[in-house]
Amino acid sequence: MDTLNALNEKQVIGYREDGYLSPVNIISGTEAADICERVEALEKGLGGQIAGTNRSKLYLKHDWIYQLAITPRMLDVAEDLIGPDILLYYSNCWFKNDRDEGYVTWHQDITYFGHEPPEVLTFWVALTPSTEESGCMQVLPGTHKHGPLPLAAPDLNDRNMLPSGQLVDFETDDVVPVSMPLAPGEASVHHSCAIHGSLPNMSDHRRMGLTFCFQAPSLRQRGKLQTSAMLVRGEDHYGLYHHEQPPIGSSENERTRRHTEAVALYRAKEAELGKRTVTRLD
């Protein structure tokens, strides 16, 4: 195995075998608390909730989220798993208020990413404690080996946090779920084909996290539409994605324009791949 940046060989083998890795230290608890405060200030400025297009690709609009997205520790982990050339494909925010009945059905990220091969990583970075009581993510180990799976009838309950109500067509009772609790500043990493979900928040505190999805530039996508991504490490020798630009040094109008265009491309790809409810939450 080549020289590793942040992980050890056992961790890499575990990821290959199980389809996830958790926990991984990304930033300090103090840094996580600072970002959490910024997120809550952003929520306040948006009327109390981050919704709609504001949830997607936040790194294109806000310097401080961009800086988190390119945190060397996170990119080192990504490099150990997918190689030295890295694109940031997507990001989102996942919040559950205290005593929140919201849940996430068993699903695969790859369904509406469409990458071939499906070697996309998602980092779930905790800003507050993410515990079993507060509805931390759960994963079904080894399910990434099945590749992209078909969907069952969607769960369109309003409490389902997935806009599409995605529910994977898989006999989940045959695999024991593993919870991935995280302290602020820690992250879990999961493969885009790993089946995962989460239960409601039964605690007295908010569960807050940001996700970042990374891939190698060589990955193609099903369908005809070309989406966008940001080169965050190494080089892109393939040109399969429109290149996004960091927000640093750009005017607010320019950031907004770039963000709007990038999210529109992302949603168009989701719709092309079969997602019909792309405007409910993200």
Side-chain angles (χ1 to χ4, degrees), residues 60-265:
L60 291 173
K61 292 188 75 173
H62 308 288
D63 291 358
W64 46 280
I65 295 183
Y66 168 70
Q67 292 297 340
L68 175 59
I70 63 168
T71 297
R73 171 70 177 178
M74 185 153 59
L75 296 185
D76 285 346
V77 173
E79 180 173 340
D80 286 345
L81 297 175
I82 61 174
D85 300 323
I86 304 173
L87 294 179
L88 172 58
Y89 179 67
Y90 188 61
S91 73
N92 209 328
C93 52
W94 293 94
F95 306 153
K96 292 179 185 175
N97 293 327
D98 54 292
R99 303 296 171 180
D100 191 335
E101 295 184 350
Y103 62 90
V104 177
T105 43
W106 292 122
H107 69 285
Q108 295 177 307
D109 293 341
I110 195 61
T111 304
Y112 299 116
F113 288 178
H115 291 79
E116 297 177 329
E119 299 300 324
V120 184
L121 304 175
T122 295
F123 284 73
W124 202 103
V125 183
L127 303 181
T128 62
S130 181
T131 64
E132 287 191 336
E133 185 184 20
S134 66
C136 68
M137 191 191 305
Q138 295 182 316
V139 64
L140 300 181
T143 51
H144 66 301
K145 295 179 181 178
H146 296 280
L149 294 166
L151 299 179
D155 175 358
L156 298 179
N157 190 305
D158 287 342
R159 291 176 295 176
N160 188 357
M161 297 174 68
L162 294 181
S164 64
Q166 184 191 149
L167 180 63
V168 68
D169 188 6
F170 184 80
E171 187 53 64
T172 57
D173 290 342
D174 293 340
V175 185
V176 178
V178 173
S179 294
M180 297 191 288
L182 301 170
E186 292 181 336
S188 61
V189 187
H190 66 270
H191 188 282
S192 61
C193 289
I195 299 175
H196 59 289
S198 65
L199 297 173
N201 182 358
M202 304 304 294
S203 75
D204 293 324
H205 66 81
R206 297 186 78 191
R207 190 213 67 162
M208 301 175 66
L210 299 174
T211 59
F212 300 95
C213 305
F214 298 100
Q215 64 169 95
S218 59
L219 302 189
R220 296 181 179 273
Q221 286 179 294
R222 291 187 293 111
K224 297 180 179 180
L225 297 177
Q226 185 180 31
T227 55
S228 63
M230 183 183 292
L231 183 66
V232 291
R233 179 171 286 187
E235 299 179 352
D236 179 359
H237 300 288
Y238 299 88
L240 300 175
Y241 301 82
H242 298 294
H243 274 201
E244 299 169 349
Q245 299 300 314
I248 296 175
S250 301
S251 68
E252 184 173 351
N253 286 341
E254 182 64 15
R255 296 180 189 204
T256 299
R257 182 189 67 79
R258 292 174 181 170
H259 176 259
T260 299
E261 291 177 353
V263 174
L265 289 173

Side-chain angles (χ1 to χ4, degrees), residues 37-73:
E37 289 182 5
R38 289 172 177 264
V39 168
E40 291 183 321
L42 177 60
E43 283 183 303
K44 185 176 180 180
L46 292 171
Q49 183 182 19
I50 301 176
T53 59
N54 289 312
R55 293 186 72 225
S56 300
K57 291 181 176 276
L58 299 167
Y59 58 88
L60 291 173
K61 292 188 75 173
H62 308 288
D63 291 358
W64 46 280
I65 295 183
Y66 168 70
Q67 292 297 340
L68 175 59
I70 63 168
T71 297
R73 171 70 177 178

